[in-house]
Amino acid sequence: VQAGKNSCPLPGEAPLQYGKGNAVAWYFSPLRLSGTFSIIGTTKPYKVARRGGIPLSRQEANEQYAKALKAGQKHYRDCVIRGRYPYPQVLDEILDDSMAAGRVDMGLISIPTEGIVGTKAAGRTSAFAANFMPLLAANTEFAAKWVELCMAHLGEGIRDPIKAYEYMNKFYVEEGNKRVSVMKYYEAMSIPGSVTRIVPRRSEDKENKIYYEFLDFYDLTGVNYLWFSQLGRFRAMDQAVNSRPGQPWS
């Protein structure tokens, strides 16, 4: 969900509502918020319902893998054509210890699936396109495990949390890449995960300043699926929505 400039109403105008359906609904008091914001996630329903709790057959799950593989191959080609990195980002390759101010154990939280952009280490990154759709052939052990997870997801559900790192409000998977792939394929909004937050060192960079404003906002709300493109917007959101600005949301 994307909202453009001047998203919130002027005094005297009716409050706006965003994120109907499966996404969160926001009600704003009469306050103008310039810049843009985004809700990290999707309002699309799952591609396949659980059919009353009846899991997919293996043949049906294999067909789903074939579709996911086709989507992965297409995304890979599109990235190559546009000169973009075709695999998930690798946190260890873009971050070194000198860039981090510390680490925080976030415990078990709900991770927006669209906020998952990469893996902690290189490992088997090449098994996935940048959108986490599979790239390995259907006759591989990898594909067989993906199919098992697909059947589990549409049966009893995938219950084991992944393990991930959060840096600048983006998530990088350490354990559970295939679980993420299946959940992204079915367009699930979130996935449970045990998360370690890597806090960047403060700088004069705009994104860094916005992130530190997000940290204050997160401490008040526990919300990790909202992001602003301009400074001061998280504070303005708190003042617009919270009856007690600066105090934890209830």
Side-chain angles (χ1 to χ4, degrees), residues 147-205:
V147 166
E148 290 290 343
L149 286 169
C150 177
M151 295 170 66
H153 173 57
L154 297 180
E156 69 274 14
I158 297 176
R159 301 177 182 178
D160 294 334
I162 67 171
K163 184 175 181 181
Y165 286 78
E166 182 253 295
Y167 178 68
M168 297 293 289
N169 205 30
K170 299 294 184 182
F171 296 87
Y172 302 84
V173 182
E174 184 173 45
E175 296 176 6
N177 292 320
K178 286 186 286 294
R179 276 168 276 170
V180 169
S181 179
V182 170
M183 297 294 274
K184 277 181 173 282
Y185 174 71
Y186 282 102
E187 297 175 342
M189 283 193 65
S190 63
I191 185 171
S194 297
V195 175
T196 299
R197 169 175 286 161
I198 300 178
V199 182
R201 293 185 182 277
R202 285 186 181 270
S203 73
E204 293 303 309
D205 179 73

Side-chain angles (χ1 to χ4, degrees), residues 1 6-7 10 30 50 90 105 118 122 125 131 137 146-148 150 169 174-175 179 202 210 216 225 229:
V1 178
N6 305 328
S7 301
L10 292 169
R50 286 195 182 182
V90 178
D105 182 0
T125 301
N131 62 352
W146 196 100
V147 166
E148 290 290 343
C150 177
N169 205 30
E174 184 173 45
E175 296 176 6
R179 276 168 276 170
R202 285 186 181 270
I210 292 174
D216 292 337
Y225 46 78
S229 64

